[in-house]
Amino acid sequence: MALTLNTSIDGEKFYSCDFPDLSISTTYGLANVTIVVNGSTVLSTRYYAVSGRVIVRNLVPLIELSMEQQYKSFCSVGVTVSAANETVSASCQVLLCKVKCMTVDVDTFLANSFLTTNNHRLTTLYNDEVVPFYIAGSGSYSVGTFFFTLRVQKTDGSYDTYETFSGRRFGYGVVTSTISAKSLQDTCEAHFGVGCRLLSFTLKFNSRLMHYYVVPCASAQEFRFTNVFGCTETVGIPYATISKLESDFSEAMVDGRLLHYDIKHTRTYEVQTAQLLSGYMTWLEQFLTSSSIMRKLPDGMYADVLIKEYSFEQTDAPGEENTLSFTWQFADGKQSTQRFSIHTGIFTEQYNQTFA
C-alpha cells in the first residue's frame, strides 16, 4: 500500500496568496488531511480518492483567516496526511500576502525590504510613521541601527544634506518601529539653525530602504491600517475633511405634543485628499480595503473607524495626478474628532492683548 503527498512544500516558503493545492496519491481509497497554522488546526477532514488521487483546493482563505485571527504575518504551516497506519507530514513557512503583487521570492523580500509595497511615500511633520520589517533569529532581542539621510532647505534658500543615525532594540520575527519626521526636523534645526525645513529623508536599515517626502501643511490627520502583510502602516497626507451629522427618528403624538423617539445620530466625515501620483494611489487601495483601520485622535489615542464609501479612480498616464475621496465614521458611533478644552484659543496672538 502507498500514501504520497505529491505537492512539494516541505521546507519551502510561500506567500499566502500563492499557497498551492495539495495533490495526494493513495491506494487506500481515502486520505485524512490535517492543516495546522502556527499550532492551530484549521482543517481536519477525510477525503475519498478518485482513481487513487485526492486534490485539496482553495486552502488560501483558511490559512489567511487563521493568520489574521492569530495576528501572525509570518508563521509555520503544517500538513499531515494519513490513511490506515501510514502517515506523511510536511511543513513550510508562509508570509501573509493577500494580493498577488510580489515579483521576488519570500526570502529575498524579507531580507531586503520593509513589509510594505510602497517604499516612496508622503508624510508630514504631524505624523508618526510605522515601519514593519522582519528580523531573522531567535532570542530575547536584537540591536540594529537606522541610518537617515536628510535633505534640507536652509534659511538662506540653499539646499544641503545631513546624515544621522539612531540605535534601536528589536525583537525577532515581524517587528515594527516608529519614525517621527518632527524629531528629524528638530535634528535639522540643531545642525543648520532654526528656520530650516526638512524636505525629505531616506531611511536605511541593513539593505532595506524607505524614502519619505515631507509635505508642508498647517495640520494633518493620521490613519493607521493593516496592510496586505498583516502589518500596521500609516497614512498621513494633507486632505480636507467635511463633518456631517445626520439624524434618524420616528414621530408620535402624545397628549397633543409631537415627540421624537428611536432617535439615532450618525456622524460621518468626508475626506478629499491632495493630488497623488499613480503609485501612491495603488498603495492606498490597501488602506480603503483593510480589515482594520484606526484614526489618531487629538489626545494621541487611536480609535477604530470604518470606511463607509469611497470614490477611487486611478490613471497611470505619465505625470497625471489622482485624488481620492472617501467617507468614514467611528466604529463605536460615539467617538468624536472634537476634544473639550478649557482654553478655546479663539483669538490669534495679535488680538490677545485687546481681548484679555
Side-chain angles (χ1 to χ4, degrees):
M1 308 299 283
L3 181 67
T4 305
L5 176 60
N6 300 322
T7 304
S8 178
I9 65 170
D10 202 33
E12 299 291 333
K13 293 184 177 70
F14 298 95
Y15 294 107
S16 62
C17 58
D18 294 327
F19 194 85
D21 295 336
L22 301 180
S23 175
I24 303 165
S25 298
T26 176
T27 58
Y28 296 102
L30 57 86
N32 300 307
V33 178
T34 301
I35 310 293
V36 177
V37 176
N38 192 46
S40 177
T41 300
V42 298
L43 177 68
S44 182
T45 191
R46 171 172 293 180
Y47 294 91
Y48 292 93
V50 177
S51 301
R53 289 190 67 195
V54 171
I55 298 182
V56 184
R57 305 183 188 276
N58 202 28
L59 291 171
V60 170
L62 286 175
I63 293 173
E64 291 183 343
L65 179 60
S66 179
M67 293 180 71
E68 288 183 308
Q69 290 176 339
Q70 298 182 64
Y71 301 101
K72 290 293 183 180
S73 295
F74 187 61
C75 67
S76 62
V77 174
V79 177
T80 301
V81 183
S82 64
N85 295 321
E86 197 170 348
T87 301
V88 178
S89 298
S91 64
C92 61
Q93 291 181 298
V94 174
L95 175 63
L96 182 63
C97 183
K98 300 174 68 176
V99 178
K100 289 181 177 289
C101 58
M102 303 306 297
T103 58
V104 298
D105 60 82
V106 175
D107 280 328
T108 301
F109 178 67
L110 289 176
N112 297 283
S113 177
F114 294 102
L115 293 176
T116 179
T117 59
N118 180 23
N119 292 321
H120 294 77
R121 60 183 62 198
L122 305 176
T123 189
T124 74
L125 295 180
Y126 304 94
N127 304 126
D128 293 322
E129 295 288 336
V130 178
V131 182
F133 52 95
Y134 177 78
I135 298 291
S138 60
S140 56
Y141 66 89
S142 62
V143 177
T145 303
F146 280 2
F147 293 92
F148 297 93
T149 301
L150 314 179
R151 181 67 172 168
V152 183
Q153 184 180 32
K154 298 190 291 187
T155 53
D156 62 2
S158 62
Y159 300 92
D160 206 340
T161 59
Y162 180 70
E163 295 184 351
T164 184
F165 64 90
S166 171
R168 308 206 175 194
R169 190 169 76 170
F170 314 108
Y172 287 98
V174 176
V175 298
T176 60
S177 189
T178 303
I179 307 298
S180 170
K182 180 62 172 62
S183 67
L184 295 177
Q185 170 70 31
D186 293 340
T187 299
C188 294
E189 292 184 349
H191 183 76
F192 295 106
V194 176
C196 67
R197 185 163 71 88
L198 176 64
L199 301 176
S200 66
F201 61 93
T202 297
L203 164 63
K204 185 177 187 296
F205 177 59
N206 297 336
S207 57
R208 304 172 179 89
L209 286 173
M210 185 79 82
H211 307 278
Y212 295 91
Y213 304 94
V214 183
V215 181
C217 59
S219 63
Q221 300 174 11
E222 178 185 309
F223 289 93
R224 290 187 177 181
F225 71 98
T226 301
N227 66 12
V228 293
F229 303 109
C231 300
T232 299
E233 289 197 74
T234 306
V235 175
I237 53 178
Y239 46 76
T241 301
I242 299 176
S243 301
K244 288 192 173 183
L245 178 63
E246 297 178 345
S247 298
D248 186 25
F249 52 85
S250 298
E251 293 182 340
M253 184 68 70
V254 179
D255 291 335
R257 294 186 59 189
L258 188 64
L259 299 177
H260 292 165
Y261 66 97
D262 290 340
I263 303 172
K264 180 181 179 182
H265 303 298
T266 303
R267 299 173 181 84
T268 58
Y269 304 88
E270 293 184 358
V271 172
Q272 179 70 51
T273 70
Q275 292 180 323
L276 305 170
L277 294 178
S278 179
Y280 207 87
M281 285 285 286
T282 299
W283 173 65
L284 286 177
E285 288 185 28
Q286 298 177 36
F287 164 65
L288 295 174
T289 59
S290 175
S291 59
S292 176
I293 305 173
M294 296 181 294
R295 185 190 181 278
K296 188 176 183 179
L297 300 175
D299 55 11
M301 302 298 289
Y302 289 86
D304 291 327
V305 302
L306 300 174
I307 302 294
K308 299 286 290 182
E309 57 183 86
Y310 52 84
S311 175
F312 186 95
E313 295 184 5
Q314 179 182 3
T315 175
D316 59 0
E320 289 295 324
E321 296 176 323
N322 302 266
T323 59
L324 170 66
S325 60
F326 61 92
T327 301
W328 64 273
Q329 70 176 132
F330 288 104
D332 64 2
K334 297 291 185 180
Q335 287 281 357
S336 170
T337 57
Q338 305 301 320
R339 285 296 182 270
F340 171 77
S341 174
I342 295 176
H343 306 287
T344 58
I346 61 174
F347 299 119
T348 58
E349 184 177 351
Q350 59 182 320
Y351 296 113
N352 283 344
Q353 183 175 356
T354 303
F355 293 98

